[in-house]
Amino acid sequence: MNNISGTNAGSPGQPDGTDLSETETPVQKLRRAARLTETAAYELAGYQPGELVAQLILMAAALERLSQAVEKSDAGDAVTG
């Protein structure tokens, strides 16, 4: 997963890809959520319990897998529908 960095992460309209644009697809939103969750986990790693950090990393991986499943499902719908 890619890492989003910068002090403005999560602020609407930022050039770092965190804008909550209505033109973004659900798959893109899921992937962005995965990246933000992963980034938060690594930023918390220095001072939060390892179990919490591990849970966040697992959540990020789950979001990425879900985005892939949705993308695959959407591709299948486009072929059959």
Side-chain angles (χ1 to χ4, degrees):
M1 276 185 253
N2 294 331
N3 213 3
I4 293 178
S5 61
T7 58
N8 292 325
S11 300
Q14 295 302 317
D16 63 0
T18 58
D19 182 16
L20 299 177
S21 171
E22 291 183 20
T23 62
E24 202 173 28
T25 68
V27 170
Q28 291 169 325
K29 289 176 182 178
L30 285 167
R31 287 194 173 135
R32 185 166 33 82
R35 289 190 310 267
L36 289 170
T37 303
E38 179 185 46
T39 299
Y42 286 110
E43 289 176 358
L44 293 170
Y47 61 93
Q48 290 294 319
E51 183 178 324
L52 179 121
V53 172
Q55 287 176 341
L56 286 168
I57 291 169
L58 291 172
M59 282 182 185
L63 285 166
E64 181 62 33
R65 283 191 303 274
L66 287 169
S67 73
Q68 292 171 0
V70 170
E71 184 174 50
K72 185 177 179 180
S73 175
D74 286 349
D77 289 346
V79 172
T80 60

